Amino acid sequence: MVKEVSSAGCYTSCFEKCAGTMSNSIAQQLDQSLFRKFPAQIKTELAASAITRRFKTDAAIYSVGDTSDGLYGVLEGCVRLTGTDLDGKLFIYGTMRPGWWFGEASTLDGDIRAQNAVAAEDCRITMIPRPVLMKVLEREPKLYQFFIDILCRRLRRAGEVVEEAAFLNTNLRLANALMRIHKDRKKH
């Protein structure tokens, strides 16, 4: 089913809802990283509720302060997660590429978004609605472990970035950032 959407930066006719069958790219997305060890029936259930949208370069996917509507995964393209200070200085938390999921913290705790998600290039994003994901996790609480793992990895990475900012000069921080990007690309 396709719904017309008139949000800025989004292609028209950009919502695609999977009606009971997994599209290849959503199936692949659910078979990678975060959801790879979930039972097949749960992946099918999540895929059936997934909503896919296309965003043009620099279009906002969500912004700081937005209510959490769900967990996002990159199917095509690249998403930049950012924050800004009062002077408008940009901080890039990271970039998400195909196979990666983002927005998990506010999806799990129901709090508002703490960062901006912006299309770094034309991209296709899938979103699993929060109510659907929470129902699955309530029914299968052992699946929370997969989210704990990803949150711990991201917390560890954030600690590394803070330490680098405190102790390393700009050249070494840049070298470390490039090494992380290289490692991340090799993983996916």
Side-chain angles (χ1 to χ4, degrees):
M1 171 182 359
V2 177
K3 299 178 184 176
E4 293 294 322
V5 176
S6 60
S7 66
C10 184
Y11 296 117
T12 57
S13 304
C14 66
F15 276 104
E16 305 162 23
K17 183 131 179 157
C18 300
T21 61
M22 281 200 249
S23 76
N24 282 339
S25 42
I26 292 172
Q28 290 168 352
Q29 181 78 359
L30 290 169
D31 282 338
Q32 294 179 10
S33 61
L34 180 61
F35 295 100
R36 72 181 173 278
K37 293 183 181 176
F38 277 38
Q41 70 191 48
I42 290 178
K43 287 192 260 189
T44 300
E45 179 182 347
L46 294 173
S49 69
I51 298 168
T52 301
R53 265 182 99 173
R54 293 185 180 275
F55 291 88
K56 291 184 179 181
T57 302
D58 294 325
I61 297 165
Y62 61 73
S63 300
V64 171
D66 286 355
T67 303
S68 175
D69 54 350
L71 180 67
Y72 289 81
V74 181
L75 297 173
E76 297 170 9
C78 181
V79 173
R80 190 173 42 245
L81 301 177
T82 66
T84 53
D85 67 10
L86 295 175
D87 296 326
K89 190 188 301 184
L90 183 70
F91 177 81
I92 299 175
Y93 289 98
T95 55
M96 302 289 128
R97 298 219 170 259
W100 288 36
W101 292 90
F102 61 97
E104 67 282 342
S106 56
T107 300
L108 292 173
D109 69 11
D111 206 349
I112 59 173
R113 299 289 185 188
Q115 54 195 213
N116 303 303
V118 177
E121 59 190 41
D122 288 359
C123 59
R124 192 163 64 105
I125 306 298
T126 192
M127 187 266 293
I128 298 172
R130 183 175 190 274
V132 173
L133 182 61
M134 297 312 293
K135 252 186 221 172
V136 166
L137 293 174
E138 286 170 17
R139 197 174 67 234
E140 302 281 342
K142 66 183 180 263
L143 298 177
Y144 272 109
Q145 183 62 47
F146 296 101
F147 289 96
I148 291 169
D149 292 346
I150 195 168
L151 290 169
C152 288
R153 275 195 305 275
R154 293 203 178 155
L155 183 58
R156 197 172 295 113
R157 165 126 347 139
E160 291 170 1
V161 170
V162 168
E163 285 181 20
E164 289 174 6
F167 301 122
L168 301 180
N169 67 38
T170 304
N171 290 338
L172 289 173
R173 287 195 317 263
L174 177 60
N176 283 345
L178 292 172
M179 291 293 287
R180 276 193 300 272
I181 290 168
H182 179 69
K183 277 194 232 176
D184 288 345
R185 289 189 123 177
K186 284 175 70 175
K187 285 182 189 175
H188 295 279

